[in-house]
Amino acid sequence: MYFEKDAARGVDGTFMWLMEEMGELASALRGNDKENLAEEFADVIAWLATIANVANVDLNAALVAKYGSGCPGCSRLVCECPDSEKP
């Protein structure tokens, strides 16, 4: 939708927009406005996808490669990794 503008801004400039949206999401998480919260989640996902596009990364393929078979740690669809481990 905005590829030309985003590409002209570059990864660094677009990343700054993502960080702004992350701040807005953090604020929305502390509130009780579910509509605003949903909008901020949508904005964060949109800016993340935009950065992937500008960086020439197929975000869907990356997600499938890393998480398509389940948890990267234990390979289960419902993670059974110890709480002390990431994820």
Side-chain angles (χ1 to χ4, degrees), residues 12-79:
D12 291 341
T14 303
F15 181 79
M16 295 308 295
W17 281 102
L18 172 62
M19 291 299 93
E20 181 176 324
E21 293 300 336
M22 291 294 288
E24 291 176 10
L25 175 59
S27 293
L29 285 166
R30 286 185 239 111
N32 59 3
D33 184 341
K34 293 291 185 186
E35 185 176 331
N36 181 323
L37 183 60
E39 289 173 0
E40 296 307 334
F41 270 114
D43 287 345
V44 167
I45 292 293
W47 283 105
L48 183 64
T50 292
I51 292 171
N53 288 338
V54 172
N56 199 29
V57 171
D58 182 332
L59 190 55
N60 185 62
L63 286 166
V64 169
K66 183 154 188 179
Y67 297 103
S69 297
C71 171
C74 66
S75 300
R76 308 276 304 177
L77 290 179
V78 176
C79 178

